[in-house]
Amino acid sequence: MSPRILDKESLHARELELLDTALSIIEKEGVAGLNMDKLAACVPYSKGTIYNHFNSKEDLLTGICCQGMRILTDLFSKAGTFAGSTRERIMAQNLAYLLYALLYPNRFLLVISVMSPTLFERTSEQRREEIQTLETELLETVLTIVDESIANGDFTLPVHMDRKQVAFANWSTSFGTIALLSHDTESCECRRGLSIGRELFNSINLILDGLKWKPLSSEIDSAALIQQLLDEIFIKERLMLESKGINLDLSAPTVAEKNPLKIMNNI
């Protein structure tokens, strides 16, 4: 009997099933606990079938990362629909990034492993092109707001920086703040009493004020803005957070410390 030929939609559904199963293994055992044999034992497909979709564990991890980037791009696009100033929309994107990190902690942390040269070079060419395309789409959502802010006078590009460097400063500040406050903050004196939500927007406001991006933080009620975004733009995500017991009230430490991002094992 000849093998059954699956249509494109069925192949895509099977690939999603493999990705979701691999992520569930990571959530239970960390990245080090994932391998192709273990994945094959958890799905109704042979190891050969799995290799038809992913040529290595590294390729599989990059596939999970691509899934996450699509989720994040959708959240960034949603942030861009907010009818506020360019600065408020940049803050909305930072909120989107925080929501992504809190709701999908393993996806958030996986990107650092996937983009390491050792892992990335073991990924298929198709998957490398896919993640680079997604990175470009994600960056463009930020650059669009940067360009608008320059055009309308909210922001003047420093002579020593280009628009991509501005976007990078914003991203690196967000990622660093979230990652540093993603686990037990009481074990480190310099992080004691700090919370992810409040400190993220303190840091972002510091960067934007330094760039003289109008309106300045002294002219914005950041806590009220974040609450408005949660109530109007990110309703679904707010409800998901609440179901996890996480509160993003910026006037006090969040409950996020009690729901830390899971730190994955080394690959």
Side-chain angles (χ1 to χ4, degrees), residues 95-109:
L95 175 60
Y97 197 36
L98 177 59
L99 293 172
Y100 174 73
L102 293 174
L103 292 172
Y104 309 100
N106 289 295
R107 294 186 188 277
F108 169 76
L109 293 168

Side-chain angles (χ1 to χ4, degrees), residues 2-13:
S2 59
R4 185 164 64 98
I5 304 299
L6 297 180
D7 58 31
K8 189 174 182 179
E9 185 176 330
S10 298
L11 285 170
H12 180 64

Side-chain angles (χ1 to χ4, degrees), residues 4-19 45 49 53-54:
R4 185 164 64 98
I5 304 299
L6 297 180
D7 58 31
K8 189 174 182 179
E9 185 176 330
S10 298
L11 285 170
H12 180 64
R14 186 166 70 187
E15 185 162 302
L16 290 179
E17 182 182 353
L18 293 172
L19 289 169
Y45 311 115
T49 296
H53 289 272
F54 306 99

Side-chain angles (χ1 to χ4, degrees), residues 63-260:
I64 295 173
C65 192
C66 287
Q67 268 190 323
M69 291 180 73
R70 290 190 185 92
I71 295 171
L72 184 56
T73 299
D74 288 343
L75 287 171
F76 270 37
S77 296
K78 187 183 291 189
T81 67
F82 181 63
S85 66
T86 56
R87 175 156 177 163
E88 288 173 330
R89 276 183 280 144
I90 282 290
M91 291 179 71
Q93 287 187 335
N94 281 281
L95 175 60
Y97 197 36
L98 177 59
L99 293 172
Y100 174 73
L102 293 174
L103 292 172
Y104 309 100
N106 289 295
R107 294 186 188 277
F108 169 76
L109 293 168
L110 187 59
V111 66
I112 295 299
S113 298
V114 167
M115 296 311 292
S116 67
T118 302
L119 191 152
F120 201 62
E121 68 185 13
R122 296 177 186 171
T123 299
S124 66
E125 183 64 29
Q126 174 188 348
R127 207 76 60 184
R128 286 199 295 267
E129 290 177 357
E130 181 181 4
I131 199 168
Q132 288 167 350
T133 297
L134 289 167
E135 279 186 330
T136 299
E137 291 177 5
L138 196 56
L139 177 62
E140 281 302 318
T141 64
V142 182
L143 293 179
T144 295
I145 298 178
V146 173
D147 289 342
E148 183 182 337
S149 70
I150 294 171
N152 66 21
D154 289 344
F155 167 64
T156 300
L157 193 66
V159 294
H160 62 285
M161 296 179 73
D162 60 29
R163 53 205 280 276
K164 190 172 181 180
Q165 288 174 303
V166 170
F168 176 79
N170 177 74
W171 171 73
S172 59
T173 299
S174 286
F175 182 86
T177 302
I178 296 169
L180 286 170
L181 295 177
S182 64
H183 49 95
D184 186 11
T185 59
E186 299 308 306
S187 64
C188 176
E189 183 59 34
C190 68
R191 295 178 297 165
R192 194 183 302 276
L194 302 182
S195 63
I196 295 177
R198 185 181 59 190
E199 309 319 326
L200 171 62
F201 290 101
N202 282 341
S203 299
I204 292 302
N205 276 325
L206 194 64
I207 291 290
L208 297 179
D209 282 352
L211 291 169
K212 300 179 181 179
W213 194 319
K214 301 174 184 177
L216 300 178
S217 61
S218 58
E219 303 168 306
I220 299 175
D221 185 338
S222 294
L225 172 63
I226 299 312
Q227 192 58 56
Q228 182 182 1
L229 289 165
L230 290 170
D231 291 340
E232 296 179 6
I233 304 297
F234 298 113
I235 301 172
K236 173 185 173 183
E237 291 75 22
R238 174 176 58 79
L239 293 174
M240 291 171 68
L241 281 183
E242 290 174 356
S243 72
K244 293 175 176 285
I246 301 176
N247 171 35
L248 284 183
D249 179 6
L250 300 191
S251 63
T254 69
V255 188
E257 289 87 349
K258 298 179 181 179
N259 297 270

